[in-house]
Amino acid sequence: MSNVLLVDGPAGEPAAPSDRPSDGEALDAYSTVVTAVARELAPSVANLRVFRRVRGGRRVSGGGSAFVLAPDGFLITSAHVVEGSASGGVASFVDGRELSFTVVGSDALSDLAVLRADASDLVSAVLGDATTLRVGQLVVAIGNPHGFAGSVTAGVVSALGRSLPVRSGSAQRVVDNVIQTDAALNPGNSGGALVDGRGRVVGVNTAVAGIGLGLAVPIDDNTRRIISSLIADGRVRRAYLGIAGGARPLPPRVVGRLGRDRAIEVVEIVEGSPAAQAGLRPEDLLVEAAGVALRGVDDLHRLMTEEMIGRRIELTVVRDGEERRMWITPRELVTV
């Protein structure tokens, strides 16, 4: 029986160890970026154990991730991670620290929450700007589902401008400009950071959209305002009109007059609401509010900011094929 010699080079010429690339040389540009971002962000990402009281007085815990907003203990996570928590929980970091935290403020209609941990020397992450992202750009999803070892997945931005339906009590809204990525979101990574190649947080990982697809709430000017409101007031104030409706094409003769083809059809009016007091009726078509064109319900949601509460605004309404002007004063949305 003959002997078989296995070699990894030409027969009779064993490869010299010095001819092989070093570990550093073997890292391509993609790997270099991912490893650098993971190393930089790992100290800023925490595992959350969230305590909730249930019937019978028992305390149970859920979990998720968060990232550090400021060294003095402020953390950002997803609102659904801390939903129902009255007593906070424990945040664990990769350096072995376990810190108690409380919920400063939570906003289910943006799926964002601010926490405060008992610390003054945390390593804060740098916030970026999701509006600069491009489809195909490298992003890294970083969470901490297990406590003392971060979880890192990498991928690309697969779509921008997605919408995420959210609900709080009877109130419904959509989160605009959600980032879709193929960086896998592992269990427990909700509330963690979505980071660009320069190590800046551009999103808060919030949901799995399907096999191989994740969604993240973008970090942009609107998100920053929500975070500031949660820190200052513990909540986000929004205006509401008190209607239920949906997008509908305008009649052709109205299209010619107004120069637009869609509006919001009023389906239902909430009793005693600003819409009822203004005299709106089911089947009215809302074309414009405060000078802003309304093509769908999302346009109205974007308009109903804190600045609109108590402000008398003009509506352009089409009723029975005729255009008319009406006035309405939005009130504060109560989500309890």
Side-chain angles (χ1 to χ4, degrees), residues 54-106:
V54 296
R55 188 173 300 176
R58 293 184 299 110
R59 189 172 75 163
V60 297
S61 64
S65 298
F67 62 89
V68 179
L69 177 66
D72 56 352
F74 284 109
L75 308 173
I76 302 296
T77 188
S78 297
H80 72 267
V81 170
V82 294
E83 182 180 6
S85 173
S87 55
V90 174
S92 303
F93 293 84
V94 293
D95 63 3
R97 283 189 290 178
E98 293 189 330
L99 306 174
S100 297
F101 72 82
T102 57
V103 180
V104 175
S106 181

Side-chain angles (χ1 to χ4, degrees), residues 162-173:
R162 294 289 192 249
S163 295
L164 177 67
V166 288
R167 173 188 290 271
S168 179
S170 60
Q172 299 182 51
R173 282 178 99 84

Side-chain angles (χ1 to χ4, degrees), residues 30-274:
Y30 178 94
S31 300
T32 300
V33 170
V34 174
T35 54
V37 167
R39 182 174 60 251
E40 181 180 346
L41 267 293
S44 302
V45 180
N47 166 263
L48 299 182
R49 297 201 306 278
V50 183
F51 302 138
R52 299 178 176 89
R53 292 288 181 182
V54 296
R55 188 173 300 176
R58 293 184 299 110
R59 189 172 75 163
V60 297
S61 64
S65 298
F67 62 89
V68 179
L69 177 66
D72 56 352
F74 284 109
L75 308 173
I76 302 296
T77 188
S78 297
H80 72 267
V81 170
V82 294
E83 182 180 6
S85 173
S87 55
V90 174
S92 303
F93 293 84
V94 293
D95 63 3
R97 283 189 290 178
E98 293 189 330
L99 306 174
S100 297
F101 72 82
T102 57
V103 180
V104 175
S106 181
D107 180 46
L109 296 181
S110 64
D111 199 21
L112 291 171
V114 175
L115 316 176
R116 186 70 182 271
D118 185 17
S120 59
D121 59 347
L122 297 180
V123 180
S124 57
V126 177
L127 296 186
D129 184 1
T131 62
T132 65
L133 291 175
R134 299 292 180 266
V135 172
Q137 183 172 339
L138 169 66
V139 285
V140 182
I142 303 178
N144 192 335
H146 304 300
F148 302 124
S151 170
V152 178
T153 57
V156 298
V157 175
S158 52
L160 293 167
R162 294 289 192 249
S163 295
L164 177 67
V166 288
R167 173 188 290 271
S168 179
S170 60
Q172 299 182 51
R173 282 178 99 84
V174 294
V175 179
D176 289 320
N177 300 321
V178 168
I179 305 164
Q180 179 179 305
T181 172
D182 65 358
L185 298 185
N186 299 318
N189 273 3
S190 286
L194 186 71
V195 186
D196 66 13
R198 296 175 61 185
R200 301 168 302 185
V201 179
V202 291
V204 182
N205 297 320
T206 186
V208 177
I211 298 176
L213 294 177
L215 299 178
V217 174
I219 298 294
D220 54 22
D221 288 342
N222 182 55
T223 306
R224 292 171 188 267
R225 285 193 295 269
I226 290 172
I227 292 171
S228 296
S229 294
L230 291 175
I231 292 174
D233 304 320
R235 64 192 181 102
V236 177
R237 301 179 70 216
R238 294 182 175 88
Y240 98 112
L241 301 183
I243 68 169
R248 175 183 160 178
L250 285 167
R253 63 181 183 277
V254 177
V255 172
R257 291 203 309 268
L258 299 179
R260 61 194 65 165
D261 59 356
R262 299 188 72 80
I264 299 173
E265 180 182 18
V266 177
V267 175
E268 184 180 352
I269 303 287
V270 177
E271 185 177 353
S273 68

Side-chain angles (χ1 to χ4, degrees), residues 1-5:
M1 183 175 179
S2 62
N3 294 324
V4 177
L5 176 65

